[in-house]
Amino acid sequence: MKYYCVAEMKITDPAWVQEYVQNVTGMVERHGGRYLTRTNRIEQIEGGGECPQVMLVIEWPSREAITAFYDSDEYRPYRDARERGAESRFFIMPGEDSGRRAQIAATVRA
């Protein structure tokens, strides 16, 4: 089953961003991840609170692929830099419809 990572960030120190994007993009891809979006062009159409500065969605082949990437020694220094230079919230979820009404598997395609 595919899994998705959704993240929102507020960058507090941009010093880490360029090196992170240059190096982590390839790491994500080598671990089977695929960026569906990574953008700062966000429109909030409902709800309160501050709109995130950056949001991203990554599609993964499995939960295990996410864990292998996130916990890897290769990613750790970049994760540490991001954690120091941004306020982030990361979420992971399976590509499923808990109400079993949507045809997610049929509509989510590369």
Side-chain angles (χ1 to χ4, degrees), residues 9-54:
M9 286 183 261
K10 177 181 178 184
I11 297 170
T12 56
D13 177 4
W16 62 276
V17 174
Q18 184 175 359
E19 185 177 0
Y20 184 96
V21 172
Q22 277 182 320
N23 293 296
V24 172
T25 300
M27 283 181 219
V28 166
E29 293 169 352
R30 285 191 300 278
H31 280 88
R34 182 171 71 100
Y35 284 91
L36 300 180
T37 186
R38 178 172 46 191
T39 186
N40 62 356
R41 295 180 1 165
I42 303 160
E43 294 180 56
Q44 185 170 343
I45 61 171
E46 189 173 322
E50 188 175 325
C51 191
Q53 186 180 24
V54 176

mmCIF file of all heavy atoms in Angstrom, residues 9-54:
data_model
loop_
_atom_site.group_PDB
_atom_site.id
_atom_site.type_symbol
_atom_site.label_atom_id
_atom_site.label_comp_id
_atom_site.label_asym_id
_atom_site.label_seq_id
_atom_site.Cartn_x
_atom_site.Cartn_y
_atom_site.Cartn_z
ATOM 1 N N MET A 9 5.975 23.690 6.870
ATOM 2 C CA MET A 9 7.157 24.289 7.489
ATOM 3 C C MET A 9 7.094 25.801 7.510
ATOM 4 O O MET A 9 6.540 26.413 6.599
ATOM 5 C CB MET A 9 8.415 23.899 6.704
ATOM 6 C CG MET A 9 8.857 22.491 6.896
ATOM 7 S SD MET A 9 10.378 22.179 5.996
ATOM 8 C CE MET A 9 9.702 21.403 4.544
ATOM 9 N N LYS A 10 7.694 26.324 8.536
ATOM 10 C CA LYS A 10 7.986 27.747 8.627
ATOM 11 C C LYS A 10 9.500 27.833 8.805
ATOM 12 O O LYS A 10 10.045 27.379 9.816
ATOM 13 C CB LYS A 10 7.272 28.379 9.823
ATOM 14 C CG LYS A 10 7.606 29.846 9.994
ATOM 15 C CD LYS A 10 6.895 30.424 11.200
ATOM 16 C CE LYS A 10 7.266 31.879 11.397
ATOM 17 N NZ LYS A 10 6.654 32.418 12.626
ATOM 18 N N ILE A 11 10.187 28.376 7.826
ATOM 19 C CA ILE A 11 11.643 28.438 7.864
ATOM 20 C C ILE A 11 12.068 29.603 8.739
ATOM 21 O O ILE A 11 11.675 30.742 8.506
ATOM 22 C CB ILE A 11 12.213 28.560 6.440
ATOM 23 C CG1 ILE A 11 11.842 27.295 5.669
ATOM 24 C CG2 ILE A 11 13.724 28.784 6.472
ATOM 25 C CD1 ILE A 11 12.113 27.339 4.203
ATOM 26 N N THR A 12 12.862 29.293 9.759
ATOM 27 C CA THR A 12 13.320 30.317 10.698
ATOM 28 C C THR A 12 14.761 30.745 10.436
ATOM 29 O O THR A 12 15.171 31.818 10.844
ATOM 30 C CB THR A 12 13.179 29.809 12.148
ATOM 31 O OG1 THR A 12 13.899 28.576 12.286
ATOM 32 C CG2 THR A 12 11.710 29.604 12.504
ATOM 33 N N ASP A 13 15.540 29.882 9.773
ATOM 34 C CA ASP A 13 16.912 30.183 9.380
ATOM 35 C C ASP A 13 17.153 29.505 8.030
ATOM 36 O O ASP A 13 17.299 28.279 7.970
ATOM 37 C CB ASP A 13 17.903 29.666 10.415
ATOM 38 C CG ASP A 13 19.356 29.890 10.003
ATOM 39 O OD1 ASP A 13 19.614 30.520 8.957
ATOM 40 O OD2 ASP A 13 20.242 29.412 10.738
ATOM 41 N N PRO A 14 17.198 30.251 6.933
ATOM 42 C CA PRO A 14 17.283 29.650 5.598
ATOM 43 C C PRO A 14 18.657 29.069 5.234
ATOM 44 O O PRO A 14 18.821 28.533 4.143
ATOM 45 C CB PRO A 14 16.916 30.804 4.674
ATOM 46 C CG PRO A 14 17.290 32.031 5.430
ATOM 47 C CD PRO A 14 17.054 31.700 6.886
ATOM 48 N N ALA A 15 19.630 29.115 6.118
ATOM 49 C CA ALA A 15 20.988 28.670 5.790
ATOM 50 C C ALA A 15 21.041 27.205 5.345
ATOM 51 O O ALA A 15 21.898 26.832 4.547
ATOM 52 C CB ALA A 15 21.908 28.879 6.987
ATOM 53 N N TRP A 16 20.163 26.360 5.783
ATOM 54 C CA TRP A 16 20.171 24.922 5.488
ATOM 55 C C TRP A 16 19.440 24.555 4.200
ATOM 56 O O TRP A 16 19.648 23.472 3.660
ATOM 57 C CB TRP A 16 19.522 24.153 6.645
ATOM 58 C CG TRP A 16 18.079 24.538 6.862
ATOM 59 C CD1 TRP A 16 17.627 25.604 7.592
ATOM 60 C CD2 TRP A 16 16.925 23.915 6.311
ATOM 61 N NE1 TRP A 16 16.257 25.669 7.544
ATOM 62 C CE2 TRP A 16 15.802 24.635 6.759
ATOM 63 C CE3 TRP A 16 16.721 22.822 5.485
ATOM 64 C CZ2 TRP A 16 14.506 24.300 6.410
ATOM 65 C CZ3 TRP A 16 15.425 22.472 5.139
ATOM 66 C CH2 TRP A 16 14.332 23.214 5.603
ATOM 67 N N VAL A 17 18.592 25.432 3.690
ATOM 68 C CA VAL A 17 17.621 25.064 2.650
ATOM 69 C C VAL A 17 18.269 24.611 1.343
ATOM 70 O O VAL A 17 17.915 23.554 0.800
ATOM 71 C CB VAL A 17 16.624 26.220 2.403
ATOM 72 C CG1 VAL A 17 15.705 25.904 1.235
ATOM 73 C CG2 VAL A 17 15.821 26.508 3.659
ATOM 74 N N GLN A 18 19.195 25.356 0.793
ATOM 75 C CA GLN A 18 19.765 25.024 -0.514
ATOM 76 C C GLN A 18 20.442 23.649 -0.501
ATOM 77 O O GLN A 18 20.194 22.816 -1.376
ATOM 78 C CB GLN A 18 20.749 26.095 -0.970
ATOM 79 C CG GLN A 18 21.290 25.821 -2.363
ATOM 80 C CD GLN A 18 22.173 26.944 -2.871
ATOM 81 O OE1 GLN A 18 22.390 27.951 -2.212
ATOM 82 N NE2 GLN A 18 22.708 26.766 -4.058
ATOM 83 N N GLU A 19 21.292 23.416 0.478
ATOM 84 C CA GLU A 19 21.988 22.122 0.559
ATOM 85 C C GLU A 19 20.995 20.985 0.804
ATOM 86 O O GLU A 19 21.129 19.898 0.232
ATOM 87 C CB GLU A 19 23.044 22.161 1.663
ATOM 88 C CG GLU A 19 23.869 20.902 1.727
ATOM 89 C CD GLU A 19 24.970 20.970 2.773
ATOM 90 O OE1 GLU A 19 25.105 21.994 3.468
ATOM 91 O OE2 GLU A 19 25.684 19.965 2.903
ATOM 92 N N TYR A 20 19.992 21.226 1.618
ATOM 93 C CA TYR A 20 18.973 20.222 1.907
ATOM 94 C C TYR A 20 18.242 19.811 0.624
ATOM 95 O O TYR A 20 18.156 18.628 0.303
ATOM 96 C CB TYR A 20 17.982 20.790 2.928
ATOM 97 C CG TYR A 20 16.923 19.820 3.395
ATOM 98 C CD1 TYR A 20 17.093 19.106 4.570
ATOM 99 C CD2 TYR A 20 15.749 19.633 2.683
ATOM 100 C CE1 TYR A 20 16.121 18.224 5.025
ATOM 101 C CE2 TYR A 20 14.776 18.750 3.121
ATOM 102 C CZ TYR A 20 14.965 18.062 4.295
ATOM 103 O OH TYR A 20 13.998 17.187 4.722
ATOM 104 N N VAL A 21 17.741 20.783 -0.114
ATOM 105 C CA VAL A 21 16.990 20.485 -1.338
ATOM 106 C C VAL A 21 17.891 19.774 -2.350
ATOM 107 O O VAL A 21 17.482 18.781 -2.970
ATOM 108 C CB VAL A 21 16.363 21.764 -1.931
ATOM 109 C CG1 VAL A 21 15.759 21.490 -3.301
ATOM 110 C CG2 VAL A 21 15.302 22.320 -0.983
ATOM 111 N N GLN A 22 19.124 20.245 -2.519
ATOM 112 C CA GLN A 22 20.061 19.631 -3.474
ATOM 113 C C GLN A 22 20.330 18.171 -3.154
ATOM 114 O O GLN A 22 20.408 17.346 -4.052
ATOM 115 C CB GLN A 22 21.396 20.374 -3.470
ATOM 116 C CG GLN A 22 21.429 21.598 -4.327
ATOM 117 C CD GLN A 22 22.813 22.239 -4.299
ATOM 118 O OE1 GLN A 22 23.464 22.299 -3.260
ATOM 119 N NE2 GLN A 22 23.260 22.705 -5.440
ATOM 120 N N ASN A 23 20.476 17.841 -1.881
ATOM 121 C CA ASN A 23 20.893 16.498 -1.496
ATOM 122 C C ASN A 23 19.748 15.576 -1.099
ATOM 123 O O ASN A 23 19.797 14.383 -1.393
ATOM 124 C CB ASN A 23 21.911 16.582 -0.365
ATOM 125 C CG ASN A 23 23.199 17.216 -0.842
ATOM 126 O OD1 ASN A 23 23.886 16.679 -1.691
ATOM 127 N ND2 ASN A 23 23.498 18.393 -0.320
ATOM 128 N N VAL A 24 18.744 16.099 -0.450
ATOM 129 C CA VAL A 24 17.671 15.247 0.070
ATOM 130 C C VAL A 24 16.717 14.794 -1.034
ATOM 131 O O VAL A 24 16.186 13.684 -0.977
ATOM 132 C CB VAL A 24 16.927 15.952 1.229
ATOM 133 C CG1 VAL A 24 15.700 15.184 1.647
ATOM 134 C CG2 VAL A 24 17.881 16.122 2.404
ATOM 135 N N THR A 25 16.539 15.592 -2.069
ATOM 136 C CA THR A 25 15.657 15.189 -3.165
ATOM 137 C C THR A 25 16.085 13.833 -3.726
ATOM 138 O O THR A 25 15.263 12.923 -3.872
ATOM 139 C CB THR A 25 15.635 16.260 -4.270
ATOM 140 O OG1 THR A 25 15.166 17.485 -3.710
ATOM 141 C CG2 THR A 25 14.741 15.850 -5.421
ATOM 142 N N GLY A 26 17.353 13.661 -4.012
ATOM 143 C CA GLY A 26 17.865 12.390 -4.517
ATOM 144 C C GLY A 26 17.743 11.262 -3.516
ATOM 145 O O GLY A 26 17.458 10.117 -3.878
ATOM 146 N N MET A 27 17.955 11.566 -2.228
ATOM 147 C CA MET A 27 17.807 10.540 -1.184
ATOM 148 C C MET A 27 16.375 10.015 -1.148
ATOM 149 O O MET A 27 16.149 8.808 -1.051
ATOM 150 C CB MET A 27 18.142 11.125 0.190
ATOM 151 C CG MET A 27 19.580 11.288 0.483
ATOM 152 S SD MET A 27 19.733 11.966 2.164
ATOM 153 C CE MET A 27 21.074 13.096 1.897
ATOM 154 N N VAL A 28 15.423 10.937 -1.203
ATOM 155 C CA VAL A 28 14.011 10.546 -1.194
ATOM 156 C C VAL A 28 13.741 9.618 -2.374
ATOM 157 O O VAL A 28 13.137 8.548 -2.221
ATOM 158 C CB VAL A 28 13.095 11.798 -1.250
ATOM 159 C CG1 VAL A 28 11.661 11.418 -1.588
ATOM 160 C CG2 VAL A 28 13.145 12.550 0.071
ATOM 161 N N GLU A 29 14.207 10.000 -3.547
ATOM 162 C CA GLU A 29 13.971 9.194 -4.751
ATOM 163 C C GLU A 29 14.646 7.830 -4.660
ATOM 164 O O GLU A 29 14.060 6.814 -5.048
ATOM 165 C CB GLU A 29 14.415 9.970 -5.988
ATOM 166 C CG GLU A 29 13.540 11.186 -6.238
ATOM 167 C CD GLU A 29 14.080 12.152 -7.283
ATOM 168 O OE1 GLU A 29 15.241 11.980 -7.738
ATOM 169 O OE2 GLU A 29 13.340 13.071 -7.645
ATOM 170 N N ARG A 30 15.858 7.761 -4.120
ATOM 171 C CA ARG A 30 16.554 6.471 -3.970
ATOM 172 C C ARG A 30 15.836 5.544 -3.003
ATOM 173 O O ARG A 30 15.947 4.326 -3.109
ATOM 174 C CB ARG A 30 18.005 6.692 -3.528
ATOM 175 C CG ARG A 30 18.893 7.202 -4.642
ATOM 176 C CD ARG A 30 20.370 7.155 -4.275
ATOM 177 N NE ARG A 30 20.715 7.953 -3.108
ATOM 178 C CZ ARG A 30 20.938 9.270 -3.128
ATOM 179 N NH1 ARG A 30 20.810 9.952 -4.257
ATOM 180 N NH2 ARG A 30 21.294 9.898 -2.021
ATOM 181 N N HIS A 31 15.089 6.112 -2.061
ATOM 182 C CA HIS A 31 14.317 5.312 -1.109
ATOM 183 C C HIS A 31 12.903 5.019 -1.623
ATOM 184 O O HIS A 31 12.076 4.481 -0.896
ATOM 185 C CB HIS A 31 14.249 6.012 0.255
ATOM 186 C CG HIS A 31 15.480 5.834 1.078
ATOM 187 N ND1 HIS A 31 16.564 6.674 0.990
ATOM 188 C CD2 HIS A 31 15.808 4.894 1.989
ATOM 189 C CE1 HIS A 31 17.500 6.267 1.829
ATOM 190 N NE2 HIS A 31 17.068 5.176 2.442
ATOM 191 N N GLY A 32 12.616 5.391 -2.859
ATOM 192 C CA GLY A 32 11.322 5.078 -3.462
ATOM 193 C C GLY A 32 10.289 6.179 -3.357
ATOM 194 O O GLY A 32 9.155 6.010 -3.796
ATOM 195 N N GLY A 33 10.648 7.327 -2.775
ATOM 196 C CA GLY A 33 9.713 8.439 -2.640
ATOM 197 C C GLY A 33 9.622 9.265 -3.908
ATOM 198 O O GLY A 33 10.546 9.284 -4.724
ATOM 199 N N ARG A 34 8.484 9.939 -4.047
ATOM 200 C CA ARG A 34 8.271 10.803 -5.215
ATOM 201 C C ARG A 34 7.537 12.050 -4.740
ATOM 202 O O ARG A 34 6.449 11.964 -4.164
ATOM 203 C CB ARG A 34 7.424 10.057 -6.242
ATOM 204 C CG ARG A 34 7.172 10.834 -7.505
ATOM 205 C CD ARG A 34 6.516 9.948 -8.564
ATOM 206 N NE ARG A 34 5.144 9.626 -8.231
ATOM 207 C CZ ARG A 34 4.074 10.233 -8.750
ATOM 208 N NH1 ARG A 34 4.226 11.205 -9.626
ATOM 209 N NH2 ARG A 34 2.873 9.869 -8.398
ATOM 210 N N TYR A 35 8.155 13.209 -4.959
ATOM 211 C CA TYR A 35 7.513 14.464 -4.580
ATOM 212 C C TYR A 35 6.300 14.700 -5.475
ATOM 213 O O TYR A 35 6.428 14.720 -6.700
ATOM 214 C CB TYR A 35 8.475 15.650 -4.720
ATOM 215 C CG TYR A 35 9.491 15.743 -3.613
ATOM 216 C CD1 TYR A 35 10.732 15.122 -3.725
ATOM 217 C CD2 TYR A 35 9.202 16.438 -2.442
ATOM 218 C CE1 TYR A 35 11.662 15.204 -2.700
ATOM 219 C CE2 TYR A 35 10.133 16.525 -1.417
ATOM 220 C CZ TYR A 35 11.358 15.907 -1.552
ATOM 221 O OH TYR A 35 12.280 15.984 -0.533
ATOM 222 N N LEU A 36 5.139 14.883 -4.870
ATOM 223 C CA LEU A 36 3.949 15.258 -5.616
ATOM 224 C C LEU A 36 3.805 16.768 -5.647
ATOM 225 O O LEU A 36 3.303 17.327 -6.616
ATOM 226 C CB LEU A 36 2.701 14.617 -5.013
ATOM 227 C CG LEU A 36 2.703 13.085 -4.987
ATOM 228 C CD1 LEU A 36 1.416 12.569 -4.360
ATOM 229 C CD2 LEU A 36 2.904 12.505 -6.373
ATOM 230 N N THR A 37 4.249 17.432 -4.588
ATOM 231 C CA THR A 37 4.312 18.896 -4.547
ATOM 232 C C THR A 37 5.291 19.312 -3.457
ATOM 233 O O THR A 37 5.432 18.637 -2.431
ATOM 234 C CB THR A 37 2.928 19.543 -4.317
ATOM 235 O OG1 THR A 37 3.050 20.968 -4.425
ATOM 236 C CG2 THR A 37 2.359 19.209 -2.962
ATOM 237 N N ARG A 38 5.981 20.412 -3.709
ATOM 238 C CA ARG A 38 6.870 21.059 -2.727
ATOM 239 C C ARG A 38 6.832 22.514 -3.115
ATOM 240 O O ARG A 38 7.452 22.932 -4.094
ATOM 241 C CB ARG A 38 8.272 20.472 -2.830
ATOM 242 C CG ARG A 38 9.259 21.111 -1.887
ATOM 243 C CD ARG A 38 10.593 20.408 -1.862
ATOM 244 N NE ARG A 38 11.119 20.096 -3.178
ATOM 245 C CZ ARG A 38 12.162 19.311 -3.405
ATOM 246 N NH1 ARG A 38 12.791 18.741 -2.414
ATOM 247 N NH2 ARG A 38 12.586 19.091 -4.632
ATOM 248 N N THR A 39 6.080 23.319 -2.343
ATOM 249 C CA THR A 39 5.803 24.675 -2.804
ATOM 250 C C THR A 39 5.600 25.646 -1.643
ATOM 251 O O THR A 39 5.246 25.252 -0.539
ATOM 252 C CB THR A 39 4.550 24.674 -3.710
ATOM 253 O OG1 THR A 39 4.368 25.967 -4.273
ATOM 254 C CG2 THR A 39 3.300 24.270 -2.962
ATOM 255 N N ASN A 40 5.784 26.915 -1.975
ATOM 256 C CA ASN A 40 5.432 27.988 -1.039
ATOM 257 C C ASN A 40 4.207 28.754 -1.553
ATOM 258 O O ASN A 40 3.802 29.738 -0.970
ATOM 259 C CB ASN A 40 6.618 28.934 -0.815
ATOM 260 C CG ASN A 40 7.052 29.642 -2.083
ATOM 261 O OD1 ASN A 40 6.536 29.402 -3.168
ATOM 262 N ND2 ASN A 40 8.027 30.521 -1.946
ATOM 263 N N ARG A 41 3.619 28.291 -2.646
ATOM 264 C CA ARG A 41 2.408 28.920 -3.198
ATOM 265 C C ARG A 41 1.198 28.183 -2.630
ATOM 266 O O ARG A 41 0.680 27.244 -3.223
ATOM 267 C CB ARG A 41 2.428 28.865 -4.716
ATOM 268 C CG ARG A 41 3.553 29.693 -5.288
ATOM 269 C CD ARG A 41 3.654 29.693 -6.772
ATOM 270 N NE ARG A 41 2.633 28.915 -7.466
ATOM 271 C CZ ARG A 41 2.378 29.003 -8.750
ATOM 272 N NH1 ARG A 41 3.069 29.840 -9.487
ATOM 273 N NH2 ARG A 41 1.466 28.260 -9.315
ATOM 274 N N ILE A 42 0.757 28.630 -1.465
ATOM 275 C CA ILE A 42 -0.296 27.958 -0.707
ATOM 276 C C ILE A 42 -1.441 28.932 -0.490
ATOM 277 O O ILE A 42 -1.219 30.072 -0.080
ATOM 278 C CB ILE A 42 0.250 27.493 0.667
ATOM 279 C CG1 ILE A 42 1.465 26.578 0.450
ATOM 280 C CG2 ILE A 42 -0.833 26.809 1.483
ATOM 281 C CD1 ILE A 42 2.345 26.469 1.659
ATOM 282 N N GLU A 43 -2.633 28.487 -0.776
ATOM 283 C CA GLU A 43 -3.835 29.281 -0.514
ATOM 284 C C GLU A 43 -4.666 28.570 0.535
ATOM 285 O O GLU A 43 -5.012 27.401 0.368
ATOM 286 C CB GLU A 43 -4.664 29.416 -1.791
ATOM 287 C CG GLU A 43 -3.995 30.206 -2.887
ATOM 288 C CD GLU A 43 -4.884 30.296 -4.105
ATOM 289 O OE1 GLU A 43 -6.030 30.775 -3.965
ATOM 290 O OE2 GLU A 43 -4.436 29.872 -5.185
ATOM 291 N N GLN A 44 -4.961 29.265 1.594
ATOM 292 C CA GLN A 44 -5.801 28.699 2.643
ATOM 293 C C GLN A 44 -7.243 29.086 2.350
ATOM 294 O O GLN A 44 -7.559 30.275 2.271
ATOM 295 C CB GLN A 44 -5.360 29.228 4.011
ATOM 296 C CG GLN A 44 -6.098 28.587 5.150
ATOM 297 C CD GLN A 44 -5.463 28.945 6.492
ATOM 298 O OE1 GLN A 44 -4.333 29.398 6.562
ATOM 299 N NE2 GLN A 44 -6.201 28.716 7.548
ATOM 300 N N ILE A 45 -8.101 28.093 2.167
ATOM 301 C CA ILE A 45 -9.497 28.391 1.830
ATOM 302 C C ILE A 45 -10.457 28.084 2.969
ATOM 303 O O ILE A 45 -11.642 28.395 2.873
ATOM 304 C CB ILE A 45 -9.944 27.650 0.550
ATOM 305 C CG1 ILE A 45 -9.858 26.144 0.716
ATOM 306 C CG2 ILE A 45 -9.126 28.117 -0.643
ATOM 307 C CD1 ILE A 45 -10.492 25.364 -0.416
ATOM 308 N N GLU A 46 -9.949 27.491 4.044
ATOM 309 C CA GLU A 46 -10.812 27.191 5.179
ATOM 310 C C GLU A 46 -9.976 27.043 6.437
ATOM 311 O O GLU A 46 -8.803 26.679 6.363
ATOM 312 C CB GLU A 46 -11.577 25.877 4.917
ATOM 313 C CG GLU A 46 -12.647 25.596 5.935
ATOM 314 C CD GLU A 46 -13.492 24.395 5.552
ATOM 315 O OE1 GLU A 46 -13.787 24.218 4.362
ATOM 316 O OE2 GLU A 46 -13.857 23.642 6.475
ATOM 317 N N GLY A 47 -10.564 27.302 7.568
ATOM 318 C CA GLY A 47 -9.900 27.104 8.851
ATOM 319 C C GLY A 47 -9.141 28.325 9.317
ATOM 320 O O GLY A 47 -8.948 29.282 8.577
ATOM 321 N N GLY A 48 -8.703 28.240 10.561
ATOM 322 C CA GLY A 48 -7.978 29.353 11.162
ATOM 323 C C GLY A 48 -6.503 29.054 11.266
ATOM 324 O O GLY A 48 -6.005 28.055 10.758
ATOM 325 N N GLY A 49 -5.814 29.938 11.935
ATOM 326 C CA GLY A 49 -4.383 29.772 12.123
ATOM 327 C C GLY A 49 -3.586 30.300 10.948
ATOM 328 O O GLY A 49 -4.115 30.644 9.901
ATOM 329 N N GLU A 50 -2.299 30.310 11.169
ATOM 330 C CA GLU A 50 -1.372 30.838 10.173
ATOM 331 C C GLU A 50 -1.142 29.816 9.061
ATOM 332 O O GLU A 50 -0.971 28.628 9.317
ATOM 333 C CB GLU A 50 -0.044 31.144 10.871
ATOM 334 C CG GLU A 50 0.946 31.870 10.022
ATOM 335 C CD GLU A 50 2.192 32.237 10.825
ATOM 336 O OE1 GLU A 50 2.071 32.549 12.014
ATOM 337 O OE2 GLU A 50 3.286 32.195 10.222
ATOM 338 N N CYS A 51 -1.119 30.283 7.840
ATOM 339 C CA CYS A 51 -0.850 29.436 6.675
ATOM 340 C C CYS A 51 0.633 29.051 6.695
ATOM 341 O O CYS A 51 1.489 29.906 6.947
ATOM 342 C CB CYS A 51 -1.190 30.206 5.411
ATOM 343 S SG CYS A 51 -1.205 29.215 3.921
ATOM 344 N N PRO A 52 0.979 27.779 6.436
ATOM 345 C CA PRO A 52 2.388 27.391 6.412
ATOM 346 C C PRO A 52 3.151 28.142 5.325
ATOM 347 O O PRO A 52 2.583 28.530 4.305
ATOM 348 C CB PRO A 52 2.356 25.901 6.075
ATOM 349 C CG PRO A 52 0.969 25.463 6.325
ATOM 350 C CD PRO A 52 0.096 26.659 6.170
ATOM 351 N N GLN A 53 4.421 28.332 5.530
ATOM 352 C CA GLN A 53 5.285 28.991 4.553
ATOM 353 C C GLN A 53 5.609 28.049 3.388
ATOM 354 O O GLN A 53 5.693 28.465 2.246
ATOM 355 C CB GLN A 53 6.569 29.431 5.247
ATOM 356 C CG GLN A 53 7.493 30.258 4.404
ATOM 357 C CD GLN A 53 8.738 30.637 5.184
ATOM 358 O OE1 GLN A 53 9.130 29.965 6.140
ATOM 359 N NE2 GLN A 53 9.366 31.723 4.782
ATOM 360 N N VAL A 54 5.800 26.768 3.692
ATOM 361 C CA VAL A 54 6.111 25.742 2.695
ATOM 362 C C VAL A 54 5.318 24.492 3.034
ATOM 363 O O VAL A 54 5.186 24.144 4.208
ATOM 364 C CB VAL A 54 7.624 25.392 2.696
ATOM 365 C CG1 VAL A 54 7.934 24.259 1.734
ATOM 366 C CG2 VAL A 54 8.466 26.611 2.391
#
